[in-house]
């Protein structure tokens, strides 16, 4: 595998499908699954173990806390879950936006530079085993009379910093199909994949995120949490 991976997730979101062997019935079980079945040693760095209140933190405190966790990683997994956004809190008072923000920054520490991470949005199934709260598909027939499928993402259901790093290629190739704007190619810096597809072909998606990282100049990267 060869990657150090940081995982950002909503610890207490229990609106997810119960994973085999899961103990909590929350998004945390998916992180434990990755640690126990897909990664070894310190290759996977878990994010917060509980929801801490960030409202009283100063920026430099957050920076120090997250730098320690993200510094040594090259890829960040963001676990998308139905209740990852607390609508009763400002987004900059929640952990995930800050974790994504620091994952996307070039940081200097001990006279060494850490480049922005590649980022994968891994969509967890909801409690009914569905992904359609975030990922949907529709079909069309192309000019060669072949059936094609388009992935549609509900970017309004997540944090602003996540949605702004999707569909953010500077010069995307697009077409209008059935009255809808359709993007082709590597149009998002933050690659989106369902949980089941990710765990079945993890090396492919990690390599894909790393390739996008190597071509980060082709994207409009947003690092502000709001």
């Amino acid at each position: 595998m060869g990657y150090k991976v940081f995982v950002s997730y909503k610890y207490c979101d229990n609106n997810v499908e119960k994973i085999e062997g899961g103990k909590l019935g929350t998004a945390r079980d998916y992180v434990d699954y990755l640690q126990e079945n897909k990664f070894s040693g310190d290759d996977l760095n878990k994010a917060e173990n509980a929801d801490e209140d960030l409202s009283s933190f100063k920026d430099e405190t957050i920076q120090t806390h997250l730098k320690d966790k993200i510094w040594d990683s090259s890829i960040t997994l963001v676990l998308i879950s139905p209740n990852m956004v607390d609508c009763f809190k400002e987004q900059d008072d929640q952990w995930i936006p800050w974790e994504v923000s620091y994952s996307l920054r070039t940081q200097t520490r001990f006279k060494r530079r850490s480049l922005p991470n590649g980022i994968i949005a891994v969509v967890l199934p909801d409690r009914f085993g569905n992904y359609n709260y975030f990922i949907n598909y529709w079909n069309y027939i192309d000019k060669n009379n072949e059936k094609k499928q388009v992935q549609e993402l509900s970017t309004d259901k997540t944090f602003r910093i996540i949605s702004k790093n999707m569909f953010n290629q500077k010069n995307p190739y697009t077409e209008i199909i059935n009255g809808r704007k359709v993007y082709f190619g590597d149009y998002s810096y933050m690659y989106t994949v369902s949980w089941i597809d990710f765990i079945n072909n993890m090396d492919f998606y990690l390599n894909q995120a790393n390739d996008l990282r190597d071509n980060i100049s082709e994207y409009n990267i947003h690092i502000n949490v709001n």
Side-chain angles (χ1 to χ4, degrees):
M1 184 181 301
Y3 298 111
K4 291 289 186 73
V5 177
F6 176 82
V7 185
S8 179
Y9 64 103
K10 180 71 171 181
Y11 179 89
C12 66
D13 190 349
N14 62 2
N15 192 18
V16 294
E17 184 176 36
K18 185 173 175 57
I19 192 171
E20 184 177 355
K23 300 175 183 177
L24 301 173
T26 71
R28 173 60 191 229
D29 289 335
Y30 288 80
V31 183
D32 291 341
Y33 176 89
L34 290 173
Q35 181 69 76
E36 294 166 7
N37 297 279
K38 297 294 183 179
F39 292 88
S40 60
D42 62 354
D43 286 342
L44 183 140
N45 188 357
K46 290 166 279 194
E48 294 313 301
N49 288 336
D51 292 321
E52 287 186 66
D53 183 8
L54 290 179
S55 58
S56 62
F57 275 28
K58 295 181 179 179
D59 286 348
E60 58 266 28
T61 307
I62 298 171
Q63 180 177 356
T64 300
H65 188 85
L66 292 178
K67 264 190 172 183
D68 288 342
K69 289 178 171 290
I70 296 172
W71 171 260
D72 197 34
S73 63
S74 58
I75 292 176
T76 294
L77 301 184
V78 181
L79 302 190
I80 305 292
S81 58
N83 296 335
M84 69 186 299
V85 180
D86 186 339
C87 297
F88 297 101
K89 287 184 178 180
E90 295 294 329
Q91 295 198 9
D92 59 0
D93 287 337
Q94 300 180 58
W95 277 111
I96 293 174
W98 284 105
E99 289 164 349
V100 173
S101 176
Y102 281 103
S103 294
L104 289 169
R105 300 186 185 198
T106 299
Q107 303 180 60
T108 302
R109 192 177 187 186
F110 308 124
K111 297 183 179 181
R112 292 174 51 208
R113 279 203 316 162
S114 175
L115 298 176
N117 282 9
I119 302 191
I120 307 173
V122 180
V123 182
L124 304 185
D126 67 17
R127 65 178 60 193
F128 303 108
N130 298 320
Y131 297 94
N132 58 8
Y133 68 93
F134 197 81
I135 302 177
N136 284 283
Y137 297 93
W138 54 274
N139 299 319
Y140 71 95
I141 304 298
D142 70 7
K143 58 187 177 182
N144 296 318
N145 206 34
E146 295 181 358
K147 187 177 181 180
K148 296 294 179 69
Q149 189 174 70
V150 175
Q151 183 189 70
E152 196 168 64
L153 305 178
S154 298
T155 57
D156 59 325
K157 302 289 181 62
T158 189
F159 292 103
R160 286 185 291 273
I161 190 172
I162 291 177
S163 64
K164 288 180 178 179
N165 285 294
M166 294 176 175
F167 302 95
N168 63 329
Q169 192 175 36
K170 291 178 180 177
N171 296 295
Y173 173 65
T174 64
E175 291 183 13
I176 301 299
I177 299 174
N178 297 338
R180 307 186 195 186
K181 187 177 184 178
V182 177
Y183 289 74
F184 293 86
D186 296 324
Y187 50 81
S188 293
Y189 185 74
M190 186 179 293
Y191 199 94
T192 303
V193 60
S194 68
W195 166 260
I196 190 65
D197 287 343
F198 177 72
I199 61 170
N200 284 337
N201 202 359
M202 196 169 69
D203 285 344
F204 170 82
Y205 292 107
L206 293 175
N207 290 336
Q208 178 74 6
N210 191 60
D211 289 344
L212 293 176
R213 182 188 189 217
D214 289 341
N215 294 289
I216 194 171
S217 62
E218 298 178 8
Y219 297 86
N220 293 310
I221 300 300
H222 297 268
I223 64 171
N224 294 326
V225 296
N226 288 311

